[in-house]
Amino acid sequence: MEKSAISVKGLVKNYNGFTALKGISFEVPKGSFFGYLGPNGAGKTTTINAITGLANFDAGSVHVMGFDVIDDYIDARKSIGFSQQDLIFDPVLNVREILLFQAGYYGIEKKDAEPRVAELLKFFGLKESGEKNFRQLSGGMKRKLQIAKALVHDPKVLVLDEPTAGVDVELRHTLWNYLRKLNKEGMTILLTTHYIEEAEKLCDTIGIISRGEIVALEGKEKLVSSIHKPKLRITLKEPLKKAPKNIEKNSIIEREGMLIEVECENAEKELASVLTSLSEEGAQVSGINIVKQKLEDVYLKLTGEGNELDRL
Ligand code: ADP
């Protein structure tokens, strides 16, 4: 049984002598919520175009649900729903017709498409708007319609390019809830986003691309902790003269001995032993914080100028 929903191997794309993708490889496991991140011009759209069959490539292979996007392109395309960043709809059709037409592109007959369209309108809270022209919809409703359109042929994999670009905070949260629900129901989702917070909240696996190369590919938690260890930040009632021996190595003492920071593998686990050591030194604790690094810190480190990939 194929474990990957999307499998990219050695993908190369050249544009007039410029190599936009330098032989990238990654797997998106079935059922995962994969965040594909990278700065402008890194190669995200080029990758997505190869996965969704919108553009060709020069070397490597791409499979969607086990189907080769070139040799088995019909099955590969049926397996994938793609929500583009730009909201493009036929101006003469109403909302329901937009979805029915989209189903038609996949060879689904109207009578079979109708129940699916009704289900999607309900799911996205667009039930009352089925007969409206898309111009009458709010920006948020258009965004939902765009995602519904990508789902009309009941694909196993959903690819979203910047699904919440330019939307307000409230709608962003609503869209997140829809996407979480879809993922929970078993759909594999790949999204690109400029909002690192979005990837942090939604995704379980992260791929980061920089200048046409994959620079990180990990489970989210592992990725974050592989770059920065969590820290225990402890404030004291009285200045500490010196750090206890067993925490001396990874600790920093600040504010004239009133604040101590200890780098740990697992801050929750090591908290008790650190507190015991401090109390043996006669230190009285007034506050404890566990400081975890964010995905954003990792992202900046990996994609920033003069990046420090060699440390990985
Ligand atoms: P991203 O989506 O991460 O912003 P793209 O995949 O759009 O990045 O672009 C990757 C690189 O390929 C960029 O340097 C971009 O300028 C270049 N590129 C993209 N499309 C074309 C094209 N049609 N012709 C020439 N260069 C292109």
Side-chain angles (χ1 to χ4, degrees), residues 1 30 33 66 78 87-88 110 129 151 159 170 181 217 227-228 239 243 246 251 266 271-272 279 303:
M1 255 283 269
K30 278 184 188 164
F33 205 138
K78 276 187 187 165
L87 300 167
I88 307 162
K110 198 168 170 229
S129 310
L151 294 171
V159 174
E170 202 186 329
K181 204 163 168 221
L217 187 64
I227 308 283
H228 292 287
N246 64 337
S251 64
N266 181 331
L271 177 61
S279 109
T303 60

Side-chain angles (χ1 to χ4, degrees), residues 63 125 225 256:
H63 289 79
S225 61
E256 295 169 343

Side-chain angles (χ1 to χ4, degrees), residues 15 18 20 39-46:
Y15 293 111
F18 169 74
N40 285 333
K44 298 181 298 298
T45 307
T46 305

Side-chain angles (χ1 to χ4, degrees), residues 114-133:
E114 268 167 350
R116 174 71 181 154
V117 167
E119 188 189 332
L120 284 168
L121 290 175
K122 188 165 170 238
F123 184 85
F124 285 102
L126 293 168
K127 213 170 141 194
E128 315 302 323
S129 310
E131 311 317 314
K132 286 185 182 163
N133 182 279

Side-chain angles (χ1 to χ4, degrees), residues 33 173 176 180 195-204 206 220 295:
F33 205 138
H173 282 265
W176 287 354
R180 277 196 192 104
Y195 304 105
I196 308 297
E197 186 206 353
E198 180 160 286
E200 182 142 40
K201 288 235 160 74
L202 294 177
C203 301
D204 49 53
I206 304 289
K220 181 182 62 192
L295 181 59

Side-chain angles (χ1 to χ4, degrees), residues 6 16 80:
I6 301 173
N16 309 320
I80 208 159

Side-chain angles (χ1 to χ4, degrees), residues 97-121:
E97 288 165 343
I98 286 172
L99 296 177
L100 286 172
F101 258 71
Q102 181 71 11
Y105 290 132
Y106 288 89
I108 305 168
E109 282 186 35
K110 198 168 170 229
K111 68 170 174 31
D112 297 325
E114 268 167 350
R116 174 71 181 154
V117 167
E119 188 189 332
L120 284 168
L121 290 175

